[in-house]
Structures are given as C-alpha cells and as structure tokens.
Amino acid sequence: MLLAEALMDRGRYNTGIVSSDMKEAAKELRKKAHMTVGRAKKTAAFFLVNTEEYHSNIYLILGDSSKFDKLSYNPIEEIKREANKTIETINAATNAIHFWAITGDFWPGYLYVNYPAPTYHLAKRLNSVLTPYILNEYRVTSFAKFLSKLKEYPNNGTIASPDEESLFTNVSVGETIDLILERVYRGTSTPTLNIHEEALRTFLEICTRKAPFTTHRGHVYIQKYGVAIGSPLGVLFATFI
C-alpha cells in the first residue's frame, strides 16, 4: 500500500517504468471508486486520475457535435446491412475484387475505438487494397531508408520529430476520401481499381463515418468526423497525399 500512497502523493498523473510492485499498486488503486488507473498510450506506464474528472473530460470531448452524434439505438445491424448490400453488388461484378460478407454478432467499441466494429475487417481489407496508391515521394518506409536519406544532407542541422494531437480523430474524412478517389480513378501514374467508384466511396464512408462506440454509462455515440482509434484505415487516411 505504501507504493500506491506514494503514487497518489506524487500528483494527478504518474508515468514510469512498470514493475511488479507498480502493477500491484495499480490493482489496489483500481479498487478505489474515486480513482481511475489505466495504461498510458504508446508507453508501458500507468496513468492515475480522479474518476469524476476523467468522466467529465470524456463527455466534454463527446459534446463536440461536429465530431460526435449521440444515438438512441444501436446501429450495428443497420451498418451491417448497408455494407453487405455493397459487398454483394461488388462481388457480383466480373473480375471485381472479392470481399467477404459481414456475418456474426458485433457490438460497438468503447470510447471511439474501432474494434470490434462490424466493419473492422472490411477496413483492414480496404487498407491493403489502397496502400499502394499512397505516393512514396515524401515518405520513407523503413528505418534503414531513413538513415540513408540523412546521409544525403550536411551534418550541421537538427533532427526534429513533430507530434500531432489526436491525429486520427482530426483527419478530414470527406476531403481525404475525395483525394483517394481522385488518385485511384483519375491518377495518371496508378492503375484503376477494379471496383466501381461509388461502391468504394460507400465502403470508405461506412468504415469511417459510421463507427459506433459506447461510454462507461452505456451511452451510444457515432463518430462522424475523423477516423476512429484502432481503425485499420487510420494510418492510410492520415498519410494519404
């Protein structure tokens, strides 16, 4: 209990190396109704925050009506029907890329996280189909290529690594979809994809603008702007130029 008390004394948040003692402390803190303990994103550290403040901040974010809509029903079956209708149309076309129908039971993700949304595997398939259409002129695809690029420049500068706040959830989905369709169907240096353009647009819309999720109170929301966290299309949309 001493470690747990020490963590609480150190302030609202705590990050650091995870040890067995740290894990035990986290378990103890989770028993406290007024404290929320979780794993920080992109690190092995824990975060510690007042539960009431944590939930208040969540609903402050969800209150942005330009990005989220609160629903009075679960739209999962509706999304499945719309996606499967388009899948059936594409699969019936000669020489079209085949997509598997969406079957089985699904439920909304939690707090704008895409998995296990019914369109998760569809988004994963679309990502593999569309990744070759990303231009490689301004990006490197491996650390070795990055080092090779560095050697082309004089050794008298500073390497900077810019960060983005909420990158995926701030992607302009509509503009990015238009850009993708322009590249795929009217690009001069890329082959035309053997899927009808409107069908691809429908797929991209469903997989991004129809990502339902729930909150700790069971409220259902749908994200209508940006790409849901965990979506296989996140990196594609964020880097498509």
Side-chain angles (χ1 to χ4, degrees), residues 137-157:
E137 183 178 357
Y138 302 108
R139 71 186 187 115
V140 292
T141 56
S142 70
F143 185 67
K145 291 181 179 179
F146 174 67
L147 292 178
S148 177
K149 276 289 184 183
L150 287 181
K151 294 178 182 179
E152 299 177 8
Y153 298 94
N155 188 22
N156 58 0

Side-chain angles (χ1 to χ4, degrees), residues 89-116:
T89 300
I90 290 177
N91 289 346
T94 305
N95 297 323
I97 296 176
H98 184 81
F99 291 87
W100 293 104
I102 300 173
T103 59
D105 296 325
F106 297 87
W107 55 96
Y110 180 71
L111 290 182
Y112 47 91
V113 173
N114 185 246
Y115 192 81

Side-chain angles (χ1 to χ4, degrees), residues 25-63:
K27 289 180 182 179
E28 292 183 31
L29 288 170
R30 286 194 181 102
K31 297 176 183 178
K32 298 180 178 292
H34 69 288
M35 300 302 298
T36 294
V37 181
R39 295 294 287 270
K41 187 174 66 172
K42 299 180 181 179
T43 178
F46 287 101
F47 70 81
L48 175 65
V49 64
N50 179 277
T51 299
E52 184 177 348
E53 183 180 355
Y54 177 60
H55 292 163
S56 176
N57 287 334
I58 287 175
Y59 280 98
L60 182 63
I61 294 172
L62 297 180

Side-chain angles (χ1 to χ4, degrees), residues 67 114 119 123 126 168 171-174 176-177 180 201-212 222-228 231-234 236-237:
K67 294 185 178 181
N114 185 246
T119 56
L126 287 174
F168 293 168
V171 169
S172 179
V173 170
T176 305
I177 290 177
I180 290 172
R201 179 184 291 277
T202 299
F203 273 166
L204 292 173
E205 292 274 358
I206 292 174
C207 290
T208 53
R209 287 180 164 165
K210 298 188 178 181
I222 197 162
Q223 183 174 338
K224 60 182 182 180
Y225 186 92
V227 183
S231 170
L233 291 172
L236 178 85
F237 269 60

Side-chain angles (χ1 to χ4, degrees), residues 23 28 39 46 48 53 77 118 129 135-136 200 204 228 233 240-241:
K23 291 179 180 179
E28 292 183 31
R39 295 294 287 270
F46 287 101
L48 175 65
E53 183 180 355
E77 293 303 317
V129 169
L135 296 181
N136 292 317
L200 180 58
L204 292 173
L233 291 172
F240 205 94
I241 58 172

